[in-house]
Amino acid sequence: AGFCDRWPFQPMANHSSIRVFWASALALAAGCATFPLDPAPLDQDELDQFLASGRDARTYGITLYRDPAGARYEFANRVHPHRAARMDFISPPSLSVPVIRGRTGRFVDCHVLLDTSSRQNWLLLPSVEAMDYRAFAPPIGEYPDHVLSAIPGYAGVANKLVFDSLHIESPVFHVPPARGGFGPLARAAELPGRSPRTARDRESLGRRTHVIFGAGPMQAFSYVRFDFPGRTVRFSTDAAYQPDDPGALLAGLPLKFWRGRPAVDATLDGAPLLLVLDTGGEFNLSLPADVPPGATLAIGDWLLDDVRPTLHDDHGLPAAFPARLGLGLLARAAVTLDFKQRRVWIESPVPAARSSDAADEVRDAPPVQYRGITP
């Protein structure tokens, strides 16, 4: 039997079995198996074994800083100058979620969710071998704050992540110590109003997502352009962004940040509102409970009078998060996060023609003590 036939794994009782687990990860990351959407935490012995091989971040030339937004890693997530990449979404046509096909330093394909509401990168435990990941020591970790999750993630460094011919060296990932999929991090079960087919497609995509690429590492690029109608994303490492067609420009406004996430100033029925851009959320506008709903949203010169806002609680999202602009509205436009010029550009492009294979249909004990985790 191959690796795929041995999933799910039995509990790891010794160092030999944990080595088998890591060796098996290479095949799993290549997409030969799907994962249960809900993760199953490792027990205490397994967690301790996972952390035992950690190394100081300075071994890799990475410096850790802590600020109010959370841990920050200097000299990580490095990109080469004068590089660019254009990638197609591989999510099913029924979905606008930006999932692309990346590649590890071992030339293993991986499915990457580009989630601007996540501050950090996340990596599935079964994919650590394919990514050449090693945890930091002493343990450094945190709970995600953009979704509700009972399992934290431990920071560590991988060899590289490749988008087309664009290489990201020494990417830092947080790895939840659990078997299975990403659970809430996959953003696959937050909207009960989906059609049955859309719900099935989204859950299937979530079970085959290996990597979440967050907003902090995105800032290594000069810009990232999400063309939602054209179902492509464009990365550039140092070029300055210019709108493709000035006549199609809906809004150009200052790029703000909330705890490392890209945000813009907007108004809802005339009241000021800070909006975090959420490329993982399948809603129009999600609001904290203390923000009154409204009918008309203005983002610079872009006016939307059919926003139908919902509450974070409707989607199982943290109440303390600011208002979030989701794919229900973002998918109407091309949105460029221009980190070099500190601007957000919102354009109304003509959807680009795509080849027939541009879209990838996805088929079908005592409490653990998490050491070194930021509350």
Side-chain angles (χ1 to χ4, degrees):
F3 288 132
C4 298
D5 301 319
R6 296 202 296 269
W7 182 266
F9 292 96
Q10 297 303 311
M12 294 171 285
N14 53 49
H15 290 280
S16 175
S17 59
I18 202 166
R19 283 195 297 270
V20 171
F21 180 71
W22 300 142
S24 302
L26 186 64
L28 289 168
C32 71
T34 59
F35 305 100
L37 192 58
D38 293 328
L42 300 184
D43 64 29
Q44 190 69 61
D45 287 345
E46 294 168 332
L47 174 61
D48 292 342
Q49 290 179 43
F50 170 62
L51 298 176
S53 62
R55 292 183 182 174
D56 193 305
R58 292 170 292 186
T59 305
Y60 306 96
I62 296 172
T63 304
L64 165 68
Y65 295 96
R66 295 189 184 276
D67 58 36
R72 181 168 52 88
Y73 304 94
E74 191 172 1
F75 308 118
N77 305 299
R78 301 188 303 270
V79 296
H80 298 184
H82 316 305
R83 297 289 190 274
R86 180 183 177 275
M87 308 284 291
D88 290 326
F89 293 2
I90 62 169
S91 47
S94 62
L95 303 173
S96 299
V97 61
V99 174
I100 61 175
R101 183 177 286 107
R103 198 171 70 249
T104 76
R106 293 190 174 191
F107 304 101
V108 177
D109 285 350
C110 55
H111 290 185
V112 182
L113 167 61
L114 305 173
D115 189 346
T116 54
S117 74
S118 173
R119 185 171 53 84
Q120 301 285 22
N121 293 337
W122 297 83
L123 177 68
L124 278 183
L125 181 67
S127 298
V128 297
E129 179 77 10
M131 198 66 77
D132 280 332
Y133 164 94
R134 177 156 327 214
F136 292 143
I140 303 167
E142 59 188 53
Y143 288 89
D145 66 349
H146 65 296
V147 296
L148 296 173
S149 176
I151 304 175
Y154 282 101
V157 65
N159 178 13
K160 67 175 61 178
L161 178 63
V162 183
F163 295 154
D164 193 17
S165 60
L166 193 158
H167 291 222
I168 304 164
E169 309 284 353
S170 300
V172 169
F173 291 99
H174 283 69
V175 174
R179 299 179 183 82
F182 275 126
L185 286 163
R187 312 297 299 275
E190 68 182 28
L191 194 60
R194 293 186 181 108
S195 70
R197 176 178 177 179
T198 301
R200 184 174 62 251
D201 286 347
R202 189 65 188 89
E203 183 176 335
S204 296
L205 187 67
R207 288 191 279 109
R208 290 186 60 182
T209 299
H210 311 104
V211 172
I212 293 165
F213 197 75
M218 282 185 199
Q219 295 175 49
F221 299 102
S222 59
Y223 69 80
V224 180
R225 185 178 192 266
F226 297 90
D227 180 351
F228 290 104
R231 293 180 58 82
T232 63
V233 61
R234 198 161 82 214
F235 302 91
S236 177
T237 62
D238 52 15
Y241 182 73
Q242 294 295 328
D244 288 347
D245 177 4
L249 187 63
L250 299 173
L253 56 166
L255 171 63
K256 302 290 186 73
F257 289 95
W258 181 83
R259 295 180 62 85
R261 271 57 68 112
V264 293
D265 286 326
T267 62
L268 184 60
D269 282 355
L273 186 70
L274 180 69
L275 271 182
V276 171
L277 306 181
D278 186 348
T279 58
E282 293 177 271
F283 45 76
N284 286 358
L285 174 67
S286 185
L287 302 172
D290 59 353
V291 174
T296 301
L297 180 68
I299 305 172
D301 295 328
W302 191 28
L303 298 179
L304 299 157
D305 57 9
D306 57 346
V307 293
R308 301 187 303 279
T310 49
L311 297 178
H312 292 346
D313 190 56
D314 298 330
H315 312 294
L317 298 174
F321 213 91
R324 302 160 79 134
L325 186 68
L327 291 169
L329 299 177
L330 289 173
R332 302 179 184 183
V335 179
T336 302
L337 305 178
D338 184 348
F339 298 110
K340 184 172 185 175
Q341 301 177 100
R342 296 282 172 157
R343 303 286 291 178
V344 174
W345 308 94
I346 302 174
E347 302 164 80
S348 178
V350 176
R354 297 186 294 116
S355 61
S356 60
D357 61 352
D360 177 33
E361 284 280 2
V362 178
R363 311 184 197 283
D364 296 74
V368 174
Q369 301 299 311
Y370 293 116
R371 297 180 281 114
I373 294 295
T374 303

